[in-house]
C-alpha cells in the first residue's frame, strides 16, 4: 500500500505556495495526499495586501472526527501555523500520531533574508518551537533557524563551525534530523544538515539564482518528502530537491508576475 501523507499548511486562493504547491507534486509522485488548512489566505503575502482566515476552530472539530473514523497517516508535513493555540493543538495531534509510527516533517515557515514574512508575528516563533519538539525532520532556512535559536542573523555568512553549531542548537529543541537551507558558509551558498540515522553532518553547495519566487521552499519540501517516502537517503533526497528548485527558478526567471509563485503543474514531469 502506498504511503499516505497529510499536509497541514495554509491554502492560498491566488498563487502557488504552501498546500497549493505541495499537493500537485506529491500526488504526481504517486502518494495519496490529504490536507488540513491552517489558514485560508487570499493570495501570496508578497503582494503586500492580503486577508487571512485562521482555521483553528475548524481544526479542533476535525481531529475528533478523524479519530472516530480511524484515519491514520504514514507521514505528516506541517508548514504555516496561524497561532500559538493552533500550534498546541497540531503538535499534540502529531505527537499522538508519531507514537503510532507516523513520520513528522516540519517546515517552520516564518521568514527569509533576515526578516519575518508579512503577517508573521513574534508569537509565531514560540509556536514553531513547539512544532519542532515533535519532529523527525525539520528544514528551516537560515533566517528561520536564527529566529528559532535566538542566534544573530549574519548577512556576510558564517563559518562551517558556526553553521554546525546552529544545527546542534536546533537539535536541542527536539527534532531528530535537521536541514538548514539558504546558508552562506565560508562564502559559498549551501544547504547543511544532520542525519540522525547515520549520525553524520553533511554540506551541499549550490549556485544562487538572484530571483525571488514565493513557494520555492514548499517545492523543496514536497520533493524532499516525496523521495524520503520512497526510502531514498536524506542527503540524496536533499540534493534532488535543491536541483529541482534551481531548475524551476531558472525556467521561470523571466515571468512577469513572480508574486504568483511558480506554476508547478507545468513542470511535474521534471520531478
Amino acid at each position: 500500500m502506498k504511503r499516505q501523507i497529510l499536509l497541514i499548511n495554509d491554502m492560498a486562493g491566488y498563487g502557488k505556495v504552501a498546500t497549493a504547491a505541495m499537493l500537485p507534486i506529491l500526488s504526481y509522485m504517486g502518494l495519496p495526499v490529504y490536507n488540513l488548512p491552517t489558514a485560508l489566505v487570499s493570495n501570496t503575502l508578497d503582494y503586500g495586501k492580503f486577508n487571512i482566515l485562521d482555521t483553528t476552530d475548524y481544526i479542533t472539530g476535525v481531529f475528533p472526527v478523524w479519530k472516530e473514523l480511524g484515519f491514520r497517516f504514514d507521514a505528516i508535513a506541517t508548514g504555516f501555523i496561524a497561532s500559538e493555540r493552533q500550534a498546541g493543538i497540531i503538535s499534540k495531534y502529531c505527537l499522538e500520531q508519531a507514537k503510532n509510527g507516523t513520520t513528522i516533517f516540519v517546515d517552520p515557515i516564518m521568514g527569509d533574508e533576515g526578516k519575518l514574512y508579512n503577517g508573521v508575528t513574534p508569537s509565531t516563533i514560540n509556536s514553531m518551537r513547539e512544532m519542532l519538539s515533535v519532529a523527525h525532520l525539520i528544514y528551516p532556512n537560515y533566517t528561520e533557524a536564527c529566529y528559532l535559536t535566538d542566534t544573530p542573523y549574519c548577512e556576510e555568512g558564517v563559518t562551517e563551525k558556526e553553521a554546525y553549531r546552529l544545527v546542534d542548537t536546533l537539535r536541542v529543541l527536539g527534532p531528530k534530523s535537521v536541514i538548514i537551507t539558504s546558508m552562506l558558509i565560508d562564502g559559498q551558498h549551501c544547504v547543511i544538515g544532520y542525519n540522525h540515522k547515520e549520525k553524520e553532518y553533511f554540506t551541499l553547495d549550490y549556485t544562487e539564482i538572484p530571483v525571488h519566487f514565493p513557494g520555492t521552499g514548499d517545492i523543496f519540501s514536497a520533493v524532499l518528502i516525496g523521495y524520503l517516502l520512497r526510502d531514498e537517503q536524506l542527503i540524496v533526497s536533499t540534493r534532488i530537491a535543491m536541483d529541482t528548485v534551481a531548475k524551476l527558478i531558472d525556467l521561470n526567471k523571466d515571468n512577469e508576475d513572480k508574486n504568483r509563485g511558480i506554476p508547478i503543474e507545468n513542470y511535474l514531469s521534471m520531478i
Side-chain angles (χ1 to χ4, degrees):
M1 184 176 176
K2 293 182 178 180
R3 296 178 180 177
Q4 301 188 106
I5 181 168
L6 170 65
L7 302 180
I8 302 180
N9 207 341
D10 67 284
M11 174 63 82
Y14 190 92
K16 291 297 178 180
V17 298
T19 302
M22 296 180 69
L23 197 152
I25 294 172
L26 290 163
S27 295
Y28 183 80
M29 295 181 77
L31 294 165
V33 188
Y34 307 88
N35 75 90
L36 181 66
T38 57
L40 301 179
V41 188
S42 59
N43 45 266
T44 64
L45 306 185
D46 296 66
Y47 285 103
K49 294 183 178 180
F50 49 86
N51 186 47
I52 295 180
L53 174 65
D54 182 331
T55 60
T56 302
D57 290 340
Y58 164 73
I59 290 172
T60 60
V62 169
F63 288 148
V65 172
W66 284 359
K67 185 176 182 179
E68 184 178 345
L69 293 172
F71 292 167
R72 292 184 59 185
F73 307 96
D74 299 288
I76 297 174
T78 72
F80 177 75
I81 301 296
S83 66
E84 289 190 63
R85 174 174 169 244
Q86 188 181 90
I89 295 167
I90 293 173
S91 61
K92 180 181 178 182
Y93 177 76
C94 287
L95 182 60
E96 292 171 352
Q97 296 302 301
K99 290 178 179 177
N100 294 322
T102 301
T103 301
I104 310 298
F105 301 100
V106 174
D107 182 1
I109 300 170
M110 297 188 298
D112 200 2
E113 298 177 348
K115 304 182 295 293
L116 294 175
Y117 291 135
N118 290 331
V120 177
T121 65
S123 67
T124 306
I125 301 171
N126 290 328
S127 303
M128 288 304 182
R129 288 188 183 122
E130 188 164 0
M131 292 305 308
L132 264 57
S133 68
V134 300
H136 292 87
L137 171 65
I138 65 169
Y139 31 94
N141 60 34
Y142 174 50
T143 296
E144 292 157 346
C146 289
Y147 274 104
L148 288 165
T149 59
D150 290 323
T151 300
Y153 177 87
C154 184
E155 291 186 11
E156 295 76 24
V158 298
T159 65
E160 187 173 59
K161 183 178 180 180
E162 290 170 330
Y164 287 141
R165 187 183 303 130
L166 185 57
V167 169
D168 288 339
T169 306
L170 284 168
R171 290 173 58 206
V172 171
L173 297 176
K176 294 181 178 179
S177 293
V178 174
I179 293 171
I180 304 177
T181 64
S182 309
M183 290 197 75
L184 188 63
I185 303 175
D186 295 325
Q188 174 64 56
H189 293 283
C190 297
V191 171
I192 191 170
Y194 175 80
N195 183 344
H196 82 280
K197 292 182 179 179
E198 305 296 332
K199 293 182 172 59
E200 65 181 13
Y201 298 87
F202 61 87
T203 302
L204 301 171
D205 60 26
Y206 65 93
T207 300
E208 183 178 50
I209 303 173
V211 177
H212 172 73
F213 284 96
T216 52
D218 302 304
I219 295 172
F220 173 88
S221 175
V223 176
L224 172 70
I225 291 170
Y227 277 92
L228 288 173
L229 293 181
R230 290 179 176 178
D231 296 318
E232 188 56 83
Q233 293 293 316
L234 179 60
I235 188 171
V236 175
S237 300
T238 303
R239 181 82 261 179
I240 293 172
M242 292 168 62
D243 291 346
T244 301
V245 170
K247 290 176 185 176
L248 292 175
I249 291 175
D250 187 56
L251 287 169
N252 289 272
K253 63 180 182 292
D254 295 325
N255 289 8
E256 184 174 346
D257 184 2
K258 296 179 177 61
N259 290 335
R260 294 180 187 172
I262 292 173
I264 190 62
E265 288 87 352
N266 296 340
Y267 303 97
L268 293 175
S269 61
M270 293 176 49
I271 297 169

